[in-house]
């Protein structure tokens, strides 16, 4: 049994300590906005925040997450107030199929917390999430828009 704090709420999950956090979030807690893509920390679809830092939850154990503040896409708009990143995403019509987008938004959220005005090189270095629909140009435009809100 492990106690996870996700989006400000505690959840007791009955999993092995080495279970990937992604599966506890999706299967035990039932928050399915966080997606499974590659399972090997390459695509970023599973990105969540742990103590404000973007991590790839397919490759991060439940044991590592205990005692920390986990934020998923479901926790980004408390009281239904969208974050700047979410607003910019809507204004720029970023998502296509949408599968990669929650991970993308979480990664960008973490980037803007440490670097509120990233340039293109910063974005290239920090946002390595893969989008099979090729939304990269819209992602970049939306990131720059979010920094000006
Ligand atoms: S599913 Fe975790 S990085 Fe691809
Ligand atoms: S929007 Fe389809 S994979 Fe990114």
């Amino acid at each position: 049994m492990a106690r996870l704090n996700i989006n400000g709420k505690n959840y007791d999950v009955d999993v092995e300590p080495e279970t990937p956090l992604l599966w506890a979030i999706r299967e035990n807690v039932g928050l399915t906005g966080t997606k499974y893509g590659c399972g090997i920390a390459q695509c970023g679809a599973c990105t969540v925040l742990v103590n404000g830092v973007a991590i790839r939850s397919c490759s991060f154990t439940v044991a590592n997450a205990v005692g920390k503040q986990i934020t998923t896409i479901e926790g980004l708009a408390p009281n239904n107030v969208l974050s700047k990143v979410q607003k910019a995403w809507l204004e720029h019509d970023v998502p296509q199929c949408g599968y990669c987008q929650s991970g993308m938004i979480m990664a960008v959220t973490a980037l803007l917390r440490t670097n509120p005005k990233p340039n293109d090189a910063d974005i290239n270095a920090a946002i390595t999430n893969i989008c099979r629909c090729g939304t990269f140009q819209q992602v970049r435009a939306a990131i720059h828009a979010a920094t000006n809100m």
Side-chain angles (χ1 to χ4, degrees):
M1 190 70 76
R3 174 161 291 189
L4 296 175
N5 186 288
I6 303 176
N7 304 329
K9 279 179 66 177
N10 284 327
Y11 298 89
D12 291 318
V13 295
D14 188 9
V15 297
E16 296 297 323
E18 295 309 306
T19 302
L21 178 60
L22 173 63
W23 298 124
I25 290 171
R26 287 183 57 87
E27 304 295 328
N28 298 82
V29 178
L31 294 173
T32 55
T34 306
K35 303 302 186 194
Y36 172 78
C38 64
I40 53 170
Q42 294 298 304
C43 74
C46 64
T47 303
V48 301
L49 307 185
V50 173
N51 285 352
V53 176
I55 62 97
R56 295 188 170 179
S57 63
C58 68
S59 304
F60 192 92
T61 65
V62 163
N64 269 332
V66 169
K68 297 174 181 156
Q69 303 288 318
I70 302 158
T71 308
T72 70
I73 189 74
E74 290 90 347
L76 268 198
N79 306 317
N80 291 326
V81 179
L82 295 182
S83 71
K84 285 182 181 179
V85 176
Q86 289 172 309
K87 285 180 191 160
W89 246 240
L90 281 175
E91 284 178 9
H92 285 262
D93 276 337
V94 176
Q96 294 295 315
C97 81
Y99 197 85
C100 72
Q101 294 291 317
S102 55
M104 196 74 88
I105 288 171
M106 298 312 287
V108 171
T109 298
L111 168 64
L112 296 188
R113 282 184 186 171
T114 56
N115 182 353
K117 287 273 182 196
N119 59 29
D120 283 347
D122 297 331
I123 293 169
N124 290 345
I127 308 301
T128 56
N129 301 47
I130 293 170
C131 173
R132 283 181 174 265
C133 298
T135 62
F136 301 107
Q137 294 309 316
Q138 293 98 318
V139 165
R140 187 183 303 280
I143 293 171
H144 288 306
T147 67
N148 291 317
M149 285 183 176

